[in-house]
Amino acid sequence: MIRRLIAVALVSIGLVIAGVFGQLSAAATGTVITMKVAPVDPIDPLRGAYVALSYPSITKFAKEADANEPVYVSVEKSGDTWEATSASRTRPASGTYLACQRKFSAIECGASSYFLPQTKAAEFNWKQSRVATLKVDSRGRVFLVGVN
Amino acid sequence: MNMAAPRRATKTQHDWLARELTYWQSQGLIEPSAATTIRDGYEVSARFSLVKLALALGGAFAGIGLIWLVAANLDELSPLMRIAIVVAFWLASLAAIWWFDKRGQSTLGQVAQGIAALAFGAVVMQTAQSLQVPAYEPKLLGIWAIGALMLAYAVRGLAPLIVGIGTGIGWLEWYLGQHAHSVLPVVIGILAAGVICATVATLHGRWGTRNFAIPWRIAGAALSLVGLFVAAVPNTNIDQALWTTPAIVVAVLAGILAIAGYVLSAERGLKRFESTAAGLVMALGAVLVSWRVAGGEHLSLNDWAHSGLAVVGFVAAAAWFASVAIMRESNLIMVVSVVGLVTFVTFQSFAVFARLIQGGWLFVVLGAIFVATGFLADRGRRELAESLQGEQS
């Protein structure tokens, strides 16, 4: 019994790591960039309140991808923040880019939900301009560090 | 017969036994002294089931509460600390499974198994929350399902199996809802899952833990009827009925699995056809969802033919699952088939009569159809039970 339980525990931990690998890899090895964001604030039944983030400079490339297909958004520094400059269906050979996917009418790059305690999510003031800090690894995987 | 230690029975079982003993005495089958000896050999025990109920509820509350805590996103604790707490809780519940197994305390062990399966869900969700994985990601539910199913088969635990099947079905519906571009892949996905569940239930009759077949069989019946229900909804848009490569592959694989279930089954008679019947339900669903109807105010012959096949097919499928319920002595499968049938007939009636009758009369007619279907389904169930019991005896 004990061996079977240890095996279940190890494989389960492996599954969890595989499930969040994109964010984990970016958090551990990614380069820090900041991008302007715009808000919505819904609730995930299993993970609680969050602020849904839209990246205006990325959203404009939504038509570049087919539904549920990967799309790679190149980003470059423009002033204090980074901006999406182009999108392609093939992985760029160089430069900083985000590995994304078209979901419904938006482009999802793995950093569209900012989970917060419910009171803080409700108090989130969107009248002021917001900037998301992201970490991007060499394969375009993204980890959302925070929103200022 | 050794009557030194009275056997435990529920009050319902005890009352039934008392009635039967009286009947057997009246038929001259047993002497009054024998009836008294048999009756005294059983004691009514409500305490036992109450303890089990309390433990099961306690385990469910603890597990669900842990997931609730994750959703509460407590800001007093850092994200890393929150992961550490839920992982510690999960590992403690795994250790408890081992501890209770070692001490032979199976009831407490089952509670720990249920908590461990739910706690693993909390680990998955907390890790994803702390790493800001985008919301509404079905993959997380899939990971939870795999973890719970692994635990179920490793410790032969029914509670993790139920959690695993439930979350697995949740993942399937969610994934199909997010990725399918039309109704057809959704219908094929649900019906193929029904075939998989029915086949796994059949194979459990031959290999593994026999009582694992019960939740798989219930899930199979529910998925097959839900899939057929969706397939039977008249489809006026050809774009909703386009066969994609994944849908074809899934349908073919499910068909092969249905046949494999028949070949590998250890059963004889009607029970052997469980997986193939689920395969036939999938084939019927595929025909219905591919069938384009005209729609509009007036029903054409094509519309009537579609509705006719849908009604006959669904009634046949519900009757089959009612037969399975009787053969397997499963009240839950009976509930699934009767609720499915009543809901389907009412829905179909609404689709037809709403074009002919309006306002209050529509509800009167639908209410009458609802009651009549319920009455006929109940009567059919009784007659089916008598007929099948007659065949078996």
Side-chain angles (χ1 to χ4, degrees):
Chain A
M1 172 67 92
I2 189 72
R3 285 185 185 168
R4 272 181 281 155
L5 283 171
I6 290 170
V8 167
L10 291 176
V11 177
S12 299
I13 289 168
L15 282 170
V16 175
I17 292 170
V20 298
F21 186 74
Q23 279 74 14
L24 204 58
S25 166
T29 65
T31 308
V32 176
I33 67 169
T34 54
M35 296 188 81
K36 286 178 183 167
V37 287
V40 203
D41 53 349
I43 283 183
D44 180 307
L46 293 171
R47 284 186 281 158
Y50 67 98
V51 178
L53 304 175
S54 158
Y55 295 77
S57 77
I58 295 176
T59 307
K60 65 187 178 194
F61 293 110
K63 287 178 184 171
E64 301 290 324
D66 295 326
N68 298 316
E69 292 297 318
V71 58
Y72 302 92
V73 178
S74 295
V75 291
E76 284 177 16
K77 192 152 193 190
S78 168
D80 292 338
T81 59
W82 293 56
E83 296 275 334
T85 52
S86 63
S88 70
R89 294 178 193 196
T90 53
R91 192 181 289 276
S94 61
T96 304
Y97 65 91
L98 315 181
C100 309
Q101 193 179 31
R102 169 91 183 269
K103 281 197 176 171
F104 301 106
S105 59
I107 291 186
E108 166 66 64
C109 302
S112 59
S113 305
Y114 183 41
F115 284 89
L116 286 171
Q118 200 155 358
T119 47
K120 286 193 178 173
E123 289 165 2
F124 214 73
N125 180 7
W126 285 102
K127 285 178 183 169
Q128 66 188 81
S129 174
R130 292 284 180 176
V131 173
T133 304
L134 310 171
K135 275 186 150 188
V136 187
D137 74 3
S138 58
R139 302 286 292 170
R141 291 178 286 236
V142 182
F143 169 60
L144 175 62
V145 180
V147 178
N148 298 311
Chain B
M1 192 175 178
N2 181 15
M3 289 288 177
R7 293 166 67 81
R8 281 185 283 216
T10 62
K11 188 172 185 309
T12 311
Q13 289 170 330
H14 206 264
D15 290 348
W16 176 85
L17 182 64
R19 282 197 303 274
E20 292 302 303
L21 287 170
T22 308
Y23 173 69
W24 293 338
Q25 282 182 73
S26 70
Q27 295 293 305
L29 295 172
I30 57 171
E31 295 295 323
S33 59
T36 308
T37 310
I38 293 170
R39 193 181 295 113
D40 292 347
Y42 293 87
E43 66 173 12
V44 177
S45 175
R47 188 174 61 86
F48 177 69
S49 56
L50 280 175
V51 168
K52 268 190 129 175
L53 180 68
L55 285 170
L57 278 175
F61 272 46
I64 292 167
L66 196 63
I67 295 168
W68 200 340
L69 278 178
V70 172
N73 203 336
L74 300 171
D75 54 350
E76 294 87 358
L77 302 168
S78 70
L80 201 60
M81 182 58 80
R82 276 179 261 157
I83 292 182
I85 288 171
V86 290
V87 168
F89 197 93
W90 170 58
L91 291 176
S93 60
L94 289 179
I97 295 172
W98 168 74
W99 175 251
F100 290 129
D101 178 68
K102 202 176 158 191
R103 296 181 61 165
Q105 291 174 307
S106 63
T107 306
L108 289 168
Q110 285 163 13
V111 173
Q113 290 166 4
I115 292 175
L118 292 169
F120 179 61
V123 170
V124 174
M125 296 305 160
Q126 183 57 66
T127 311
Q129 186 199 67
S130 294
L131 284 166
Q132 306 288 0
V133 172
Y136 292 96
E137 175 54 66
K139 178 175 67 180
L140 302 174
L141 211 53
I143 289 171
W144 183 2
I146 295 170
L149 289 174
M150 275 196 317
L151 179 65
Y153 282 90
V155 301
R156 295 190 179 89
L158 209 51
L161 183 69
I162 292 166
V163 173
I165 292 173
T167 48
I169 291 173
W171 167 80
L172 177 76
E173 306 282 336
W174 200 343
Y175 181 85
L176 289 172
Q178 249 186 27
H179 289 81
H181 302 298
S182 64
V183 175
L184 190 142
V186 175
V187 167
I188 296 300
I190 295 171
L191 291 171
V195 174
I196 293 167
C197 290
T199 307
V200 174
T202 302
L203 297 183
H204 269 301
R206 187 165 187 171
W207 293 292
T209 313
R210 279 187 83 88
N211 66 347
F212 270 23
I214 301 164
W216 283 114
R217 188 168 287 123
I218 294 166
L223 285 165
S224 290
L225 288 176
V226 167
L228 198 55
F229 187 103
V230 179
V233 175
N235 172 26
T236 57
N237 185 354
I238 195 67
D239 291 340
Q240 293 295 312
L242 292 177
W243 280 86
T244 56
T245 307
I248 294 168
V249 171
V250 167
V252 170
L253 288 177
I256 293 169
L257 206 58
I259 295 165
Y262 175 81
V263 173
L264 296 172
S265 173
E267 303 285 0
R268 291 285 171 269
L270 276 176
K271 287 179 183 174
R272 189 163 191 162
F273 288 92
E274 277 187 70
S275 63
T276 40
L280 285 175
V281 171
M282 185 181 70
L284 176 64
V287 170
L288 288 172
V289 78
S290 306
W291 192 330
R292 190 184 171 200
V293 299
E297 282 189 17
H298 301 289
L299 290 168
S300 68
L301 191 63
N302 182 49
D303 295 355
W304 279 110
H306 177 272
S307 290
L309 180 65
V311 170
V312 171
F314 197 94
V315 170
W320 164 253
F321 287 117
S323 310
V324 171
I326 292 160
M327 287 187 291
R328 302 290 185 180
E329 296 179 356
S330 168
N331 289 334
L332 269 173
I333 299 179
M334 184 58 79
V335 168
V336 167
S337 60
V338 171
V339 168
L341 183 63
V342 172
T343 312
F344 176 80
V345 171
T346 308
F347 180 84
Q348 286 290 324
S349 306
F350 188 83
V352 172
F353 288 109
R355 301 185 195 184
L356 309 173
I357 312 165
Q358 289 179 340
W361 280 111
L362 177 63
F363 279 84
V364 171
V365 170
L366 288 179
I369 290 169
F370 200 95
V371 171
T373 314
F375 173 74
L376 290 173
D378 185 58
R379 190 169 171 172
R381 178 184 66 79
R382 287 167 198 273
E383 287 182 5
L384 196 60
E386 283 170 16
S387 158
L388 284 171
Q389 276 163 5
E391 266 183 33
Q392 282 169 359
S393 62

